[in-house]
């Protein structure tokens, strides 16, 4: 199997970790980390390029030395520089670096002085109170380490956006009841709409900060107060989710919101921009020669750095700052641009509402159309439709459409893509539909090549219009199946097929990086909820979040068009 960009990135990250423990030059460490990022986010497979005899493209931060290493990894599957480091250093040491409060120097000291090689070694040393005796450590940091180790050994947990949203909304509502409260906002990865959040970062302004802190720790879901201070407190909720609260002065609000929204990589890049303009940028404001020149709003922070406003979803240091400088930021899609939903089920298969209830639900949300896309017959568990039942549903849709006036129900299907890439229903039946959505629901374990070919073959069928949840992943539960997404996107482009962003919060499939790849390659996407009940139409916001993270504009999205234009666009 060819080496993937992610494999190369992983090798670079491991190298950076080990170099850091060794105390190597920080610039060298950083070079590896930034190269890892560049490679993993590069839309084309570098090994494919090299194997085709082409040269590596010019990549930012990847000079001769690193390019040589990429070639070596593609050729041999390994990197001798990393192997060398690994020989010098026992296995789990890099893991230690991921613990809160443990930098590379301390990790190295623990190894040198106490022979710590693994997390369990470290736990044993902490329990025996051998760590507090070391220089640079004390009883407090030993306790903190022990807590961090136990958390890690218990498995680090990230939370889905939907769970995070429920907590954030309820907690924000609670905090708004604080006397003298001003702004209350959730920043961090949550505001950037990352698919999962590690913790919530809430920011408030308040006449008297201690009032906000008091109210925060009194929230009824709090299980443990991890830290309580004047401007920052941390609690763990019953669900296990951790929340940071920060109280900031009004004049710092914009700078703090920007800082705590992150991402860290974006912050660092923006700070460097500011430095070039003779400015200092931090969470308290923007300063020139020690004097405050701004920071009350995010707009002001960006403007002082010489940039237009950059939307939170773009702040990943994936080229947004460069694009902003060149006036090339996309005008991102908004929820209000969406005119209908293109993937939904009813009680006829595994949905929980009738056709009429689903149509009514879509109409109530201001939509102009809704596609009904039941499962097809081979999905027996979901009572998938055979041609006869599908035709009965088409008649029912005709009758309803008569009554619905301006609103239109599209006749469609989520046809199963069989193992050999054929579709689960005959062409003449598919030909009677307005359009066809197709998806893989079985045989997730095919080889990368076989899975890719299976999907390309399915797209060869001129009736297939939209590939639903293209990677099949379930966040935190099922890995995406092996597939060459670049080939799939190119295949879609060549065939006039389209891809879906499935809005189910545990799918979010395509993800942000692949969305952006599709946009750059010129393939339009459907934002679809896969609703099994009317309430699930509201999942659209999650798809919109991922689309924005993938740099999509209104024009990149199919269901921003009128019904007539949509059908024209889908026609193959
Ligand atoms: P998460 O919680 O893992 O899903 O991701 P974030 O992005 O919410 O990260 P978190 O909660 O550790 O920190 C919130 C934001 O604070 C982060 O996005 C950027 C900012 N931040 C945190 N640590 C640093 C830092 O060392 N340097 C800079 N420049 N910013 C930081
Ligand atoms: Ca966070
Ligand atoms: Ca945090």
């Amino acid at each position: 199997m060819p080496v993937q960009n992610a494999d190369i990135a992983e090798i670079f990250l491991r190298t950076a970790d080990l170099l850091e423990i060794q105390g190597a030059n920080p610039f060298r460490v950083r070079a590896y980390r930034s190269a890892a990022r560049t490679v993993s986010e590069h839309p084309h497979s570098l090994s494919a390029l090299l194997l085709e005899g082409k040269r590596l493209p010019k990549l930012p931060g990847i000079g001769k030395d690193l390019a040589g290493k990429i070639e070596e990894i593609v050729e041999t599957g390994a990197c001798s520089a990393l192997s060398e480091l690994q020989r010098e250093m026992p296995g789990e040491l890099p893991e230690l670096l991921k613990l809160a409060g443990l930098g590379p120097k301390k990790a190295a000291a623990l190894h040198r002085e106490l022979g710590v090689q693994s997390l369990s070694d470290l736990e044993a040393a902490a329990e025996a109170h051998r760590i507090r005796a070391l220089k640079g450590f004390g009883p407090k940091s030993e306790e903190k380490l022990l807590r961090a180790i136990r958390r890690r050994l218990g498995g680090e947990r990230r939370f889905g956006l939907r769970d995070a949203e429920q907590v954030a909304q309820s907690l924000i509502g609670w905090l708004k009841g604080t006397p003298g409260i001003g702004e209350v906002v959730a920043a961090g990865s949550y505001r950037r709409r990352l698919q999962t959040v590690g913790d919530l970062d809430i920011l408030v302004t308040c006449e008297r900060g201690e009032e906000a802190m008091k109210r925060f720790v009194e929230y009824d879901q709090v299980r443990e107060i991890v830290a309580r201070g004047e401007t920052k407190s941390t609690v763990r909720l019953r669900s296990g989710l951790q929340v940071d609260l920060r109280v900031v002065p009004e004049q710092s609000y914009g700078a703090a919101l920007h800082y705590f929204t992150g991402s860290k990589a974006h912050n660092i890049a923006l700070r460097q921009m500011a430095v070039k303009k003779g400015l200092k940028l931090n969470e308290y404001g923007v300063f020139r020669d020690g004097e405050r020149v701004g920071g009350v709003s995010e707009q002001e922070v960006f403007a002082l750095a010489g940039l237009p406003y950059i939307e939170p979803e773009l702040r990943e240091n994936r080229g947004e700052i460069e694009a902003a400088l060149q006036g090339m930021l996309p005008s991102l899609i908004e929820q209000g641009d969406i005119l209908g939903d293109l993937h939904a089920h009813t009680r006829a298969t595994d949905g929980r509402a009738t056709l009429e209830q689903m149509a009514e639900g879509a109409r109530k949300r201001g939509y102009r159309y809704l596609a009904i896309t039941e499962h097809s017959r081979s999905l027996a568990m979901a009572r998938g439709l055979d041609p006869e039942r599908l035709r009965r549903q088409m008649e029912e849709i005709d009758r309803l459409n008569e009554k619905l006036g301006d609103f239109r129900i599209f006749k469609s299907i989520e046809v199963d893509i069989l193992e050999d890439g054929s579709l689960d229903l005959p062409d003449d039946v598919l030909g009677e539909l307005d359009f066809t959505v197709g998806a893989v629901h079985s045989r997730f374990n095919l080889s990368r090549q076989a899975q890719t070919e299976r999907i390309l073959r399915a797209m060869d069928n001129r009736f297939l219009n939209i590939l639903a949840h293209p990677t099949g992943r379930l966040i935190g539960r099922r890995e995406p199946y092996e597939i060459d997404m670049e080939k799939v996107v190119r295949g879609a482009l060549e065939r006039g097929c389209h891809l879906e962003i499935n809005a189910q919060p545990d799918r979010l499939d395509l993800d942000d990086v692949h969305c952006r790849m599709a946009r750059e390659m010129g393939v339009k996407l459907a934002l679809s909820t896969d609703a099994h009940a009317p309430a699930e139409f509201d999942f659209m916001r999650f798809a919109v979040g991922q689309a924005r993270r993938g740099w999509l504009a209104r024009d990149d999205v199919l269901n921003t068009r009128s019904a007539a234009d949509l059908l024209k666009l889908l026609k193959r």
Side-chain angles (χ1 to χ4, degrees), residues 158 187-190 192 197-201 242 244 260:
R158 293 187 66 84
S189 51
Y190 176 76
R192 303 196 313 278
V197 305
D199 72 351
L200 280 178
D201 305 277
Q242 198 164 302
D244 288 343
F260 292 113

Side-chain angles (χ1 to χ4, degrees), residues 126-138:
E127 280 169 348
H129 298 313
R130 288 192 287 136
I131 293 177
R132 60 179 64 184
L134 289 187
K135 198 172 154 230
F137 294 88

